[in-house]
Amino acid sequence: MLRSKAFSLLKPIPLMFGQSNLACIHPAIASYGHRCHRSPVDYRQRYKTYSAGEQTISASHTKVMAEDLPGVLILDIGGTHGVLENLAVLLKKHFHLITMKEFLENKKEMSKKIQSVFVFECRPTIDRELLESLPNLKVIGNSGVGVDHLDLKMISNFGVKVTNTPHAVADPTADMAMALMLASARRLVEGCQIAVSPDTKYFAVDWLGVEVTRATLGIIGMGSIGYKVAQRARAFNMKILYHNRNRRRKEEEEAVGAHYCEKMEDLLQQSDFVMLVVNLTPETHKLIGKKELGLMKPTATLINISRGAVIDQDALVEALQKKIIRAAALDVTHPEPLPRDHPLLRLNNIIITPHIGTATVQAIRMMAEEAIANMLAVLNGQPIPSEVFPK
Amino acid sequence: MESQELPYVLIDCIGGKHGVYEDHIEFLEKHFHLISMKEYLENKKSLSEKIRAIYIWYHKPVINEELLQSLPNLKIVASSGVGIDHLDLRLLSSYGVKVANTPFAVSTDTADFGMALMLASSRRLVEGYQMAVSPDTEYFPADWLGAEVSGATLGIVGMGTIGYKVAQRAKAFEMKILYHNRNQRNKEDESAVGAVYCKKIDDLLQQSDFVLLAVTLTPQTHKLIGKKELELMKPTATLINISRGLVVDQDALVEALQKKIIKAAALDVTYPEPLPRDHPLLKLKNIIITPHIGSATKKTRRLMMENMTESIKAGLTGLPIPNEVLL
């Protein structure tokens, strides 16, 4: 069994994973996603947890010969960055699951078997070397909707398709956007700190936040997620403005009471809450910079649930320090996590959350199911629900 | 207009930690001659007969029999917020003094805050924030998960103005809405938000993923949620309280949270406020507590002040009183 071989190999490995040798290891393991917002991680720690997780999976191995199923490459199972164990179980129903470690230890045999790669939280990194070593690769199934960490053109040149999971992410991400807007406006995090602080003797009555109901929300990027945010915001009687590459149909606008702003500047000047829901592309990189922040109301809040690189972070730091805008609430930054000495972490008019827009038990499972359906469609030559094409 | 012609209204104080807001004074002084408690006590003889109304801002000044006896011309008391559990309505009525509150001004902000607490709790927002900014954080783990709000079941206990506004907001998240109330709402109200009536609170407790308390505090709702009710709730359920601390049996809640009988709680209100700094609720991980900020926005506080002004003026001129609280 290949897996038991992998275990015995674990012991003499430490040399391989020594810090100085990191450069010799396949870049996919180092997973230095310079294109990705994720920070690199010490993989020695991960392999310790890997073996613990592996025992559980072997026990539940099914009767179907895994090797007959199409091979799917994943980074790892369990641990801090691996595919969650219950998702591995889902994958195994349809695929022969091959971890990066197994692949690297047995490239000759494994490389031909791998027809798909399941990219979970941006890992494994898909680079030229990996693509060259997988002659039968047909599809990269990404968990999540953002594909800014994938070089779509390069992947396409290898004749490999890319799919994402737009349906599974929409509700939880829209919910998170509302959560951030409400928490920021009503100073929820600060309030919690006061409520539990050992120094608190009384609750001051002149401690105030700002209203959400009937305020103006400007949505930049009115795709599936942006539209679901609009549906929720409407129930709060918010006035909704939106800016998008293309205008939505009249019925769609009327259903949520959204007004199109052809010029983003108009949206910025009128909104009490500016919400970023675009994908990250060369066009949206640093979409919100010093000029845009300067156009916003001094009482406005910036909310980002898209990608950190959509905002010029240095400009944001300055805008928040100088109270050019009132506050910001970010589920995404660049990188993630931010370096511990980053000025954004020292501001008191900011909420930062650790990219948890789709971090629910239900969503993680639905994303895997959507990715599986997409990968199977490609492998079976059927219509592909969510293929992503290079520009 | 000479200030002597304006009616004399007693307030506790201006500014500071619980006083009338300084930026409200300009508006108030257009309509009233304000007398602070300090001024009154220093000059009881000449002021006691002139005071015809009391403007209660965040429970101050405290109305007791002694005060009522010394203000023979007191006609009306206006209280900020919707809760009137701090007032002895019978006592006031026995002195012929009318009471007004501000139920509508607080309703939307409080409903918004109920939603804020539900979302923050379910998505572990406060914990997430702590992780994002902690000096010890090196990476964000992939197995750190919250629970979905969209599509979950929300049980609203107390479907008055605030409860109904929560239902309107929750509907947009495609939540299934159950409610328990003294009286069933009419069919149009129910179908507008897709709310299903639960005559027995037990049914609501057993089926809900989120239980939200939006009742007024009365002898009937005191400790409405106790050990029995918490045990009826799902172990995956969250209790949200935007009503009054005393609606929940706090000791039972501590036990339920410690033993994971319910998943979590999110409380904007406790008893007392603030809790003593050594209270067990402050030490739990599966709880969010906020400092009674359900109506804490500038616009709403200003609207409350304007409503109270209107009520006092009506009360003093014998006109029907907006937002009058009847026994």
Side-chain angles (χ1 to χ4, degrees), chain B residues 57-165:
Chain B
W57 190 248
Y58 287 89
H59 303 199
K60 292 191 163 72
V62 173
I63 313 295
N64 53 29
E65 182 129 37
E66 193 191 328
L67 185 64
L68 292 173
Q69 278 168 349
S70 58
L71 300 174
N73 293 319
L74 182 66
K75 295 273 174 298
I76 180 165
V77 147
S79 178
S80 63
V82 61
I84 32 93
D85 45 283
H86 57 290
L87 297 174
D88 187 337
L89 297 180
R90 254 178 236 289
L91 180 67
L92 285 157
S93 177
S94 70
Y95 278 80
V97 176
K98 295 197 189 285
V99 179
N101 61 353
T102 63
F104 300 107
V106 302
S107 56
T108 45
D109 275 358
T110 312
D112 285 359
F113 202 69
M115 295 298 296
L117 283 175
M118 177 164 65
L119 286 160
S121 179
S122 190
R123 301 301 295 268
R124 299 171 67 189
L125 191 142
V126 179
E127 274 183 86
Y129 165 80
Q130 289 163 346
M131 191 197 307
V133 305
S134 162
D136 304 327
T137 292
E138 287 168 18
Y139 58 84
F140 294 157
D143 57 351
W144 191 98
L145 303 173
E148 203 100 349
V149 165
S150 279
T153 300
L154 169 62
I156 301 174
V157 181
M159 190 83 131
T161 310
I162 296 172
Y164 194 74
K165 289 191 180 202

Side-chain angles (χ1 to χ4, degrees), chain A residues 161-229:
Chain A
K161 295 189 191 288
V162 174
T163 65
N164 62 355
T165 62
H167 301 108
V169 305
D171 280 335
T173 313
D175 285 359
M176 192 68 204
M178 296 300 294
L180 284 172
M181 178 165 64
L182 285 160
S184 179
R186 302 301 297 271
R187 297 172 69 189
L188 191 142
V189 177
E190 273 183 86
C192 284
Q193 290 165 340
I194 291 170
V196 305
S197 161
D199 304 326
T200 292
K201 297 193 173 66
Y202 58 83
F203 292 159
V205 303
D206 60 347
W207 192 97
L208 305 173
V210 298
E211 296 81 17
V212 167
T213 290
R214 278 185 287 273
T216 300
L217 169 63
I219 301 174
I220 298 178
M222 190 83 129
S224 309
I225 300 172
Y227 195 74
K228 286 198 179 228
V229 173

